[in-house]
Amino acid sequence: MRSTLQEGTNMAIMVNQVGYEAGSASKKAVTSAPGGYVLKNAAGEIVWRGQTGDAVEDPLCGETLYPLDFGSARTAGKHYLENESGERSDTFAIGRDVLGEVHNAMVKALYFQRCGCTLEEKYAGPYIHAACHMADSWIYGEKGHSFEARGGWHDAGDYGRYITPGAVTVGHLLYANKLYPQSFRETLHIPESGNEAADVLNECRYELEWMLKMQREDGGVYHKLTAWRHAPFVMPEEDRDDFYAYPVSSLAVADFCACMALAARVYDSVDRVFAWRMEAAAKLAWQWLEKHPEPVLFVNPEGSNTGEYGDSTDADERLWAAAEMMLLAARRGEDRSGYMTVLGQILATGLAVTDFGWTDVAGFAALAVLTDFRQTAGEEIREIFRGQVLREADRLADLGTRNVFAMAMEAKDFCWGSNMVVTNRGILLALACEILRAGIKDMSQDQAREAAARMARYQEVIQAQIDYLLGKNITGYSFVTGYGDHAYRHPHLRTTAADGIDEPMAGWVSGGPNGRPGDELAIREIPAGTPPMKCYLDREECYSLNEMTIYWNSSAVFVTAFLRSRAAAGEIL
Ligand code: 9MR
Ligand code: ZN
């Protein structure tokens, strides 16, 4: 078990274990001991000397710590930091496009979640398995009715497949690819690689094809497809439990509608017929929503323990659906007034539009409206989105001044899947940067200078979020498997637990520290009152701290896509 401050030395040098862009003037570490530090290259030569900054009593991890900025170091290669007592940090790269590999691995990871097909050695390396979950699925509550719903990604460490998190995952990835296409050019070595499409689109299609199967003729979409209870730790092809399509929820229908409408736009240039199928499905889902204006929420039937993905409101899901349908209609030259009315009505309730998770998808409506070059939504609606996004960005940037990690996090934000809070905040800040960038051409010189400074401030926090994820945190772990001297190694992931291979596949983002742990082992092992960032164990049993999910990965991918694109453009801080 690794925890930098619990290994007996009382010493920690926390770094981004993957690396820092050579051109960056701010390369940040955090240390537990003040004083002089040197940066050494692989040959052990000193390439930089410097001092820690002022002590900070950190509210996130409860320690007194010191920031260390070695930004002026520009030499390329493997490095480590060392202090006057000879204590060393983990190694990290200084170079160009240092996030490239981990970014690609985080997208490729989704391939390993493919359900209903064989994972072949050619693409999966040692992580092969036979086709899983091939049987027809039952329709819950409709005795004797079954249908074919093979495909899609396993959601997480379990073998369930759920509509709302699936839509969110695809949403993150399609918008990331739309905004930062240059970050998605490399091959991922998946079966479709080498066709015309970017591999991220090939991978998303695997999920989209399955989602289409989850729609009924009346436009309703089943909330999820899972067994009655989670499988034991067996390989997926050994899981022979009956699978059920659980009742339609308006959450699933609206997320499905939004995701299909978005994908119909995106895949238009890739495969017209596929895009057309998705467009038809989106329209059918929208009709269902119109016929069911009241929320149809979802709760697990008594006794079933698979993921619930419940929610107390469907307003944000309907908002996203309205936004995407509006943009699709604009693209097709069709009437969009109905969608605009719904969009306006929901916005008028004051709903927050700044989150990108499965509970709150309203941020995707902001992404849709604010990245639309046609400006379809009109100035008034755009201004509501813009105002909220920029205000939230300023709030997050301010949070970044309140802890030694310079992160946009507060103690209370360390929940189940806190790493997605970390990365979703990166998405919000990236969107804020896009808004400011788009506005610069109409600004005076002074205003433009101010906007540039604001963007730089946001980008600094985005970088801090990724530095944290990759090891600059009190646990001392990189929260992405396979990346970093001390990457976590024991995700709560059935295939990894059952495949007999020591190392998990690379590229999985852990859920991360959780100040309110929900699994037995974590509750037993983590003393009450432990500061939230320390509430983490790299243990397979700890599903509330150390599971992986498709949407935690996709959220992180958005942020690395942003940072890679900034680095490629030479816009490095
Ligand atoms: O990611 C979800 C987290 O935000 C919730 O707090 C938690 C409890 O409801 O459920 C998590 O989702 C799990 C889902 O229900 C089933 N697949 C694995 C997900 C990650 O733990
Ligand atoms: Zn499967």
Side-chain angles (χ1 to χ4, degrees):
M1 196 187 312
R2 176 176 170 89
S3 179
T4 48
L5 288 175
Q6 288 163 17
E7 277 178 341
T9 63
N10 234 14
M11 219 317 287
I13 309 172
M14 298 163 243
V15 298
N16 173 335
Q17 297 170 24
V18 169
Y20 299 83
E21 286 297 318
S24 166
S26 82
K27 303 183 181 74
K28 292 180 173 163
V30 170
T31 72
S32 61
Y37 281 77
V38 294
L39 180 72
K40 290 188 172 174
N41 63 17
E45 295 155 356
I46 296 176
V47 298
W48 173 92
R49 286 173 196 280
Q51 296 280 329
T52 52
D54 293 342
V56 180
E57 268 177 56
D58 187 77
L60 307 179
C61 71
E63 297 285 338
T64 299
L65 298 170
Y66 304 82
L68 179 66
D69 191 337
F70 53 102
S72 54
R74 301 280 161 126
T75 49
K78 273 273 175 196
H79 292 77
Y80 56 90
L81 288 161
E82 193 175 300
N83 68 10
E84 284 152 353
S85 326
E87 286 147 337
R88 293 180 178 186
S89 73
D90 287 324
T91 63
F92 49 83
I94 295 181
R96 275 169 175 256
D97 194 25
V98 285
L99 294 176
E101 266 187 50
V102 64
H103 167 85
N104 286 321
M106 291 192 298
V107 188
K108 168 71 183 261
L110 296 170
Y111 165 76
F112 294 106
Q113 296 297 97
R114 287 192 187 191
C115 185
C117 68
T118 308
L119 295 198
E120 293 171 46
E121 194 182 345
K122 203 167 151 200
Y123 313 111
Y127 305 106
I128 45 174
H129 67 72
C132 54
H133 303 111
M134 298 298 281
D136 281 3
S137 297
W138 301 104
I139 296 173
Y140 182 80
E142 292 179 28
K143 234 185 163 133
H145 286 94
S146 64
F147 72 125
E148 188 271 306
R150 289 196 286 268
W153 298 311
H154 301 142
D155 178 57
D158 64 317
Y159 293 136
R161 284 159 283 153
Y162 309 77
I163 289 293
T164 55
V168 162
T169 306
V170 172
H172 288 144
L173 294 174
L174 295 190
Y175 275 111
N177 182 54
K178 180 178 182 216
L179 288 169
Y180 314 112
Q182 63 278 33
S183 300
F184 293 92
R185 295 223 169 106
E186 293 101 340
T187 177
L188 297 179
H189 306 289
I190 57 177
E192 301 78 8
S193 293
N195 66 5
E196 301 277 287
D199 272 347
V200 68
L201 299 186
N202 287 325
E203 196 51 54
C204 284
R205 182 169 182 162
Y206 198 80
E207 180 76 352
L208 287 161
E209 293 277 11
W210 166 75
M211 287 172 73
L212 287 168
K213 297 182 183 178
M214 291 288 281
Q215 187 176 39
R216 293 195 315 208
E217 271 173 25
D218 71 343
V221 180
Y222 300 114
H223 190 74
K224 63 170 181 174
L225 189 73
T226 73
W228 180 247
R229 297 189 65 82
H230 285 309
F233 274 20
V234 296
M235 289 303 279
E237 67 271 34
E238 283 156 28
D239 173 22
R240 309 277 171 168
D241 261 0
D242 284 346
F243 267 56
Y244 300 90
Y246 284 77
V248 170
S249 71
S250 55
L251 307 161
V253 182
D255 274 356
F256 173 98
C257 176
C259 186
M260 288 297 162
L262 165 63
R265 278 194 290 141
V266 171
Y267 288 79
D268 233 359
S269 55
V270 176
D271 180 340
R272 270 276 156 82
V273 176
F274 180 50
W276 178 83
R277 280 170 58 211
M278 293 193 289
E279 176 169 347
K283 286 180 171 163
L284 201 60
W286 183 264
Q287 282 168 18
W288 188 98
L289 291 171
E290 284 190 318
K291 270 193 214 128
H292 300 83
E294 296 303 321
V296 181
L297 303 177
F298 183 81
V299 278
N300 261 346
E302 180 101 33
S304 166
N305 77 346
T306 56
E308 182 166 85
Y309 290 115
D311 199 343
S312 57
T313 169
D314 67 1
D316 50 303
E317 285 80 8
R318 286 178 192 260
L319 183 82
W320 184 23
E324 298 293 357
M325 289 301 283
M326 174 190 73
L327 297 190
L328 182 59
R331 186 183 172 106
R332 300 283 188 255
E334 293 170 2
D335 178 24
R336 51 183 193 265
S337 54
Y339 310 124
M340 300 217 13
T341 307
V342 175
L343 195 67
Q345 279 166 351
I346 301 176
L347 273 187
T349 64
L351 188 86
V353 294
T354 51
D355 206 359
F356 310 88
W358 58 264
T359 350
D360 183 354
V361 297
F364 288 100
L367 265 170
V369 165
L370 296 174
T371 64
D372 165 33
F373 72 93
R374 289 190 176 85
Q375 313 202 341
T376 310
E379 198 39 40
E380 206 178 313
I381 284 184
R382 287 168 54 81
E383 193 45 47
I384 297 176
F385 281 109
R386 203 188 290 130
Q388 272 210 41
V389 169
L390 291 175
R391 270 196 302 282
E392 175 68 357
D394 286 338
R395 186 185 77 85
L396 297 181
D398 179 60
L399 289 185
T401 64
R402 293 165 190 268
N403 60 80
V404 73
F405 302 95
M407 303 176 75
M409 288 291 276
E410 292 176 274
K412 66 174 164 54
D413 298 324
F414 289 84
C415 56
W416 191 322
S418 63
N419 279 339
M420 186 174 72
V421 182
V422 171
T423 52
N424 276 353
R425 289 183 172 175
I427 298 179
L428 188 283
L429 290 161
L431 177 58
C433 287
E434 301 313 325
I435 297 171
L436 292 176
R437 188 188 311 281
I440 278 184
K441 58 181 187 320
D442 305 317
M443 290 179 187
S444 70
Q445 256 195 0
D446 279 356
Q447 284 172 327
R449 208 170 299 126
E450 198 197 313
R454 214 165 152 193
M455 279 161 62
R457 181 71 200 107
Y458 296 164
Q459 190 171 324
E460 210 175 305
V461 179
I462 298 172
Q463 182 67 53
Q465 307 295 86
I466 288 297
D467 286 349
Y468 166 90
L469 199 70
L470 296 176
K472 199 186 90 182
N473 66 64
I474 198 70
T475 73
Y477 285 106
S478 159
F479 291 126
V480 184
T481 50
Y483 288 88
D485 287 351
H486 285 96
Y488 85 105
R489 295 181 59 236
H490 306 289
H492 179 90
L493 168 54
R494 277 169 177 67
T495 45
T496 291
D499 64 9
I501 305 170
D502 270 359
E503 285 300 316
M505 51 289 255
W508 280 120
V509 175
S510 166
N514 179 356
R516 302 174 288 280
D519 62 82
E520 241 176 75
L521 186 71
I523 293 169
R524 204 168 59 231
E525 300 262 320
I526 300 177
T530 301
M533 199 194 282
K534 287 185 174 173
C535 295
Y536 175 76
L537 298 168
D538 182 20
R539 297 279 293 268
E540 179 175 278
E541 300 92 319
C542 292
Y543 52 85
S544 72
L545 311 177
N546 212 31
E547 193 163 350
M548 33 52 73
T549 70
I550 53 175
Y551 46 96
W552 294 337
N553 261 53
S554 56
S555 172
V557 163
F558 191 114
V559 185
T560 50
F562 168 84
L563 287 172
R564 285 187 82 190
S565 87
R566 300 318 333 129
E571 293 184 26
I572 316 170
L573 298 172

